[in-house]
Each structure stands twice: as C-alpha cells, then as structure tokens.
Amino acid sequence: MNIVTAGSSNVASASDLSAADHWQKSLRDAIRTPEELCDLLQLPPEYVTPAKQASAQFKLFVPREYLAKIPPGEPEHPLLKQVLPLALEESTDEGFSQDPVGDADALVTAGLLQKYASRALLVVTGACAVHCRYCFRRYFPYDEVPKGNENWEPVLDKIQQDPTIDEVILSGGDPWMLVDSRLQSLTDHIARIPHVRRLRIHTRLPIMIPSRITDELLKILTSTRLKSFVVVHINHALEIDDSVTVALTKLIDCGVVVLNQSVLLRGVNDSLTALESLCRDLVNLGVLPYYLHQLDRVKGSGHFEVSDAEALKLISELRCRLPGYAVPRLARERPGGESKDVLA
Ligand SMILES: *Cc1c(COP(=O)(O)O)cnc(C)c1O
Ligand code: SF4
C-alpha cells in the first residue's frame, strides 16, 4: 500500500496548522522503519532484522498517536502485535493465500466489488493510516484502483444501472485517507443515484488519527440525503483513549450510526477479559459491536489464527456476561458466499 496524502504538501509548523493539515501532518510523521519503532519502544535490537525482512512486501506503518498507547519494553503488547512485522509472516502455511476472500472474482469493474445483494463496495484507495500485519488485502492489486474522481464514472454507471443496490460502501484501504474535497464529490455523485439510500464507510482512521474527524468531514456526512453508517475497526479496549472517545462521540452526536468490527487475533484479543472490556467500552460510548471476524487466511498471518472451537467458546461466554446488543456476531468470509457466514 502506498500513502497518498493529497492536498498541501507544505510542511507547516504545529501552531498554524488548519484542521485538515493536522491529520495529514500526522500521516507524514508516522513511523515507517523497524529501527525507529524499536528505538521508540525500547525493544531489544534482535527485533529489527526480522521486522525489516517481514516488511519488505508490506511496509511497516504506524502513526505516532497509536504508538503512544503502547508502553515501552513490551514486545507482547496487544497493540504492538498488530503493527510489528515478525519473521513468522514469512512462513507459508497451508490454506493461506494472497486472495483469501475471493476479491478477484467479485471485481465488477476496477474499484468496484460486489459479493452480496443490494450492497456495492468501492475500493477508493489503497492507502491506510496503519498497516495491520494481518490485513486480508495486503496483496490487493491497488494499482488498478481508479485514481482521480473523474475515473469513477464506470463504477458509478454500474451502480446507476442496478436498481437493487441501495447501499454503497466506501472501503479500501481506508476511504478517509481521501481529502475532504474528493470525499465530498464522491458522496455527491453517489447521492445523485436515486435508488441508493445509505452510505457506509469502513475506516480505522478515528482510531489511528482521531484528528481526522474534522468539522468538514462531519459536514459531508450530515449534508447528504444518504443515511450514513460508519464501521470502525477496533480490536482492543486499549485502542480507545480520550481522543478516540472524542472522535467517536462527534460522529454519534451528528446522527451517524457507528458500528465496530474486530478481527479475532491470537495474542491480541483472544481472551474473555479482552473481548468483554472491548465490548463494554464500545457500548458505553454508544458504538455497537457488529462483527467479530474469524481471520481471513491471508498468506503470512497464520500465527494470528484462533480455532473455531475457541472462538465459539469465547462468544458463548461473552453472551453470559453482556447484554445481547453488546455481543458481536462471530463471522467468517467464505469466497463465493452470498453473505458472510455467521458462526454464532
Ligand atoms: C463484507 C462485505 C460487505 C458487507 O457485508 P455486511 O454483512 O453487510 O456487513 C459488502 N461487500 C463486500 C464485498 C464485503 O466483503
Ligand atoms: S486498516 Fe483495514 S485495510 Fe488498512 S491495513 Fe488495516 S486491516 Fe488492512
């Protein structure tokens, strides 16, 4: 994935940054090398070489805001595990592939994936504010994604021609990596298609760089006739600090429905206590736990996998402790399936 931070490339000093410049500066300042990561977190030097090798294909990328939540000297920290490349990524496990969810077969036209009835998913960019080591799209051919907004015409035409589509999902990569002007124009184009009623955004930016939730961005969501849903991606309660709370609250307060999806990850959130505190903290904010995904079996992610038996046990234990609405659906994506498979 490449980092495209469009807009001003001038480096401004912190004091005269506009709201839009602020998050873009965070992207520019993000950590990109194992040396710097290990140095900042005081990790033993033996982590550097494997991290360099493992990040050759899928670069290390972590914003400083996220790193600040990780205490130094804890290589097993659940937040660090999501971003630190390990030699284990280079092992080839049977059943793990470059396209574990069948994206290639679901490509309608460049940038448009359609797997399920009534929903169209747009891969609007390959860029993300973090590189999650278990990412199921780490091998996605993002080079083929349309670049400027003018190139989205074929995608919009396809949606226009299919009256059964009433929801458009902006995905990627992370759609909120686009600058506001591009998001605004994309939203306007989608809203002009009469049969589309809802806009859904799949994003990790409110967690990685909470300052991305600018007034301008909120205005895009509230000024459209489309009903907006934002699905964030939080795997652990420790990801939710004060600034994340503020960002999510702003979204909820302006009438957006905010849901969360997590990936069940070995060593990150595969315990009853971790999942219980995450779900509790989410509902206390007004964010509903939506999916807990079983790992998509992408090459290099085998060490994150949790068995179905363990996952099912965790869900049934959660159900005994939490209100029904606080328990996410345990789901798996099966290539060619007509919906996500809900296991529990
Ligand atoms: C996951 C996914 C969706 C959304 O599915 P929901 O069950 O509605 O959340 C839509 N399109 C594609 C291609 C997907 O992978
Ligand atoms: S935010 Fe999502 S798309 Fe981006 S690297 Fe993480 S899992 Fe992949």
Side-chain angles (χ1 to χ4, degrees):
M1 295 187 197
N2 59 326
I3 301 304
V4 283
T5 58
S8 165
S9 60
N10 297 334
V11 179
S13 72
S15 54
D16 57 38
L17 290 178
S18 72
D21 288 339
H22 200 281
W23 65 270
Q24 291 178 21
K25 181 172 189 312
S26 288
L27 284 171
R28 285 196 295 272
D29 289 348
I31 289 128
R32 298 156 204 265
T33 66
E35 286 89 344
E36 192 178 6
L37 181 81
C38 291
D39 184 44
L40 286 169
L41 292 182
Q42 297 165 32
L43 297 179
E46 57 264 31
Y47 279 90
V48 173
T49 307
K52 275 172 123 166
Q53 277 162 11
S55 61
Q57 182 269 329
F58 185 46
K59 301 267 175 286
L60 180 152
F61 193 87
V62 198
R64 285 173 201 272
E65 288 89 333
Y66 191 74
L67 208 77
K69 301 172 201 174
I70 307 173
E74 283 191 37
E76 298 297 312
H77 192 276
L79 272 53
L80 181 58
K81 285 210 150 161
Q82 299 178 49
V83 296
L84 175 67
L86 299 177
L88 286 165
E89 286 179 32
E90 289 171 283
S91 51
T92 37
D93 300 298
E94 194 166 330
F96 286 70
S97 68
Q98 298 205 356
D99 180 12
V101 296
D103 276 345
D105 291 336
L107 203 63
V108 177
T109 182
L112 174 63
L113 289 175
Q114 205 184 352
K115 292 184 179 170
Y116 310 137
S118 76
R119 287 144 291 170
L121 183 146
L122 273 53
V123 177
V124 299
T125 173
C128 277
V130 62
H131 286 182
C132 312
R133 301 320 300 174
Y134 52 86
C135 179
F136 70 115
R137 289 210 178 112
R138 58 182 283 173
Y139 297 97
F140 192 89
Y142 287 114
D143 294 349
E144 294 156 28
V145 167
K147 295 289 179 300
N149 272 3
E150 62 283 5
N151 302 325
W152 281 93
E153 243 165 64
V155 169
L156 295 163
D157 283 348
K158 285 277 181 207
I159 299 171
Q160 173 89 49
Q161 288 154 15
D162 183 350
T164 65
I165 295 174
D166 67 355
E167 175 167 335
V168 171
I169 303 172
L170 304 186
S171 182
D174 196 314
W176 279 354
M177 290 291 279
L178 297 189
V179 292
D180 292 335
S181 55
R182 280 200 60 201
L183 282 169
Q184 181 73 68
S185 104
L186 198 53
T187 306
D188 291 346
H189 278 97
I190 295 167
R192 261 177 237 141
I193 305 174
H195 52 263
V196 178
R197 306 293 300 275
R198 298 180 309 282
L199 181 69
R200 194 197 312 187
I201 321 279
H202 282 181
T203 179
R204 232 188 157 185
L205 262 152
I207 291 81
M208 294 299 148
I209 304 180
S211 61
R212 175 65 186 99
I213 312 308
T214 58
D215 293 345
E216 181 80 23
L217 181 68
L218 296 173
K219 216 177 87 214
I220 299 173
L221 296 172
T222 53
S223 60
T224 172
R225 72 166 179 86
L226 303 166
K227 176 72 195 164
S228 299
F229 289 71
V230 171
V231 184
V232 295
H233 172 179
I234 306 175
N235 294 320
H236 197 284
L238 292 173
E239 289 169 36
I240 310 172
D241 64 3
D242 289 348
S243 6
V244 172
T245 299
V246 169
L248 295 173
T249 305
K250 277 186 186 170
L251 287 167
I252 294 167
D253 286 352
C254 75
V256 170
V257 178
V258 183
L259 306 169
N260 181 62
Q261 49 186 347
S262 309
V263 182
L264 183 58
L265 298 166
R266 162 121 10 246
V268 173
N269 56 11
D270 59 332
S271 73
L272 182 58
T273 44
L275 291 174
E276 187 185 347
S277 4
L278 172 62
C279 293
R280 239 181 243 291
D281 290 356
L282 288 169
V283 293
N284 286 341
L285 282 175
V287 176
L288 290 178
Y290 178 38
Y291 280 136
L292 175 64
H293 293 278
Q294 270 296 41
L295 186 78
D296 293 319
R297 305 184 94 193
V298 70
K299 193 165 158 281
S301 70
H303 55 292
F304 283 115
E305 194 165 49
V306 176
S307 72
D308 279 358
E310 285 170 87
L312 289 165
K313 182 161 177 280
L314 285 166
I315 287 288
S316 65
E317 287 169 342
L318 271 184
R319 200 159 276 137
C320 296
R321 295 193 178 204
L322 293 169
Y325 61 80
V327 182
R329 301 165 181 86
L330 178 67
R332 162 172 299 118
E333 187 160 343
R334 180 171 38 85
E338 286 180 43
S339 70
K340 312 260 189 253
D341 289 339
V342 175
L343 311 182

